[in-house]
Amino acid sequence: MIARTTGAAIRGLLVALMVLTPALYLPVSSTNGTEIVVFLAILAFFLTFAEYNSAFPSFIEFRDAPPANRLRFVGLVSMVTFLTLICKDAYAPTELTSAFYAIGLGVANVVDFPYSPVRLIVLMLPADASPPLVDLVRSSASVAYVAALVTIGSFAYAVKVRGWPTGNGAFNVWTNLPLFDPTKGGDVVTRLQRDGRLNISIGVLLPFLIPALIKMLPDYATPISLSNPQTLIWTLSAWAFLPASMIMRGMATLRIANLIVEKRRAYSTAESTQTA
């Protein structure tokens, strides 16, 4: 009980610090900005603490199947931290922020090519955007996208090489997939495979679709201004993290489906042996 509560409190604190990171290092755009950020950090702490402190799952998946959520958190923290340092270079440059900005430009020179998701993010900017803003968005989007690819690659390594999730003991579908109802109808394996492929497909397409949707936004609502550093950080982090998270979920559900198939095959073989 004590270990679970302590672990939940540490997780909640880390999530709250991640939410506060851009506000601690960058200027706040409005008078109520500080209060809003603090409120969101407190809310993130209590939601995370309540989820991990409870013995019954609610909405967070794979909470008892590390390192799935740990990789997600590290990936998101890396995006937020790197983008914060890159954006801070425009306001209070230091050797550290200049180094990260230079790394971002170097990464952009590699991943910013025609029809790439990063190029679509740059094209999303208004025609009168200043060159410094274009370079900032270009480098930030490149770093966020590469961080997402590294996160996906790390999870693929855990699945293919380390045998996730079997290395952590028995996999409890109810605890780790609280939103999945195995009694809803149809074969569980078929549904898991369908969900996995659908998540991977949507995750691959989202980095291309999100810039197009944001580009269309001015026709129906107030456009998102990436000139605000905190807006830029959270917009690009969401643009890179949400597709990566969906791809990881798809890989995880396909892996679970394969494990169920292997269990069924082993059970069928054992039953045939006993009958013979």
Side-chain angles (χ1 to χ4, degrees), residues 82-218:
F82 293 164
L83 267 59
T84 299
L85 293 173
I86 291 174
C87 291
K88 188 180 180 181
D89 188 68
Y91 297 93
T94 62
E95 292 184 1
L96 179 62
T97 59
S98 298
F100 273 91
Y101 187 80
I103 292 173
L105 290 178
V107 173
N109 292 331
V110 177
V111 299
D112 181 16
F113 51 87
Y115 305 107
S116 70
V118 175
R119 179 64 58 87
L120 295 178
I121 287 289
V122 175
L123 294 176
M124 181 188 70
L125 295 172
D128 58 349
S130 62
L133 177 60
V134 173
D135 289 339
L136 179 62
V137 172
R138 179 171 173 265
S139 59
S140 299
S142 301
V143 170
Y145 192 66
V146 170
L149 293 178
V150 171
T151 304
I152 296 172
S154 300
F155 185 65
Y157 172 82
V159 172
K160 298 295 184 180
V161 179
R162 303 299 297 272
W164 181 92
T166 55
N168 303 311
F171 183 86
N172 190 317
V173 176
W174 175 67
T175 302
N176 291 291
L177 291 174
L179 303 179
F180 179 79
D181 184 6
T183 64
K184 190 175 181 179
D187 185 63
V188 174
V189 173
T190 303
R191 290 174 54 202
L192 286 173
Q193 291 175 341
R194 182 179 64 247
D195 291 349
R197 295 181 183 123
L198 181 62
N199 276 270
I200 293 175
S201 300
I202 296 176
V204 172
L205 292 175
L206 273 182
F208 299 91
L209 294 178
I210 291 177
L213 294 176
I214 295 178
K215 188 69 175 179
M216 295 168 55
L217 191 62

Side-chain angles (χ1 to χ4, degrees), residues 6-84:
T6 303
I10 292 175
R11 288 181 172 89
L13 182 61
L14 291 175
V15 173
L17 289 175
M18 179 194 67
V19 175
L20 289 172
T21 296
L24 292 175
Y25 289 94
L26 296 172
V28 180
S29 58
S30 64
T31 55
N32 297 327
T34 303
E35 290 81 359
I36 294 173
V37 171
V38 172
F39 171 76
L40 291 177
I42 295 175
L43 180 63
F45 170 82
F46 279 110
L47 286 177
T48 306
F49 176 80
E51 174 66 20
Y52 279 92
N53 189 49
S54 174
F56 305 101
S58 58
F59 65 94
I60 295 181
E61 297 181 327
F62 307 115
R63 70 174 198 174
D64 293 331
N69 288 337
R70 295 174 187 177
L71 288 175
R72 286 177 177 173
F73 178 74
V74 171
L76 183 56
V77 167
S78 301
M79 296 176 196
V80 173
T81 303
F82 293 164
L83 267 59
T84 299

Side-chain angles (χ1 to χ4, degrees), residues 270-276:
E271 191 177 50
S272 302
T273 304
Q274 291 178 357
T275 303

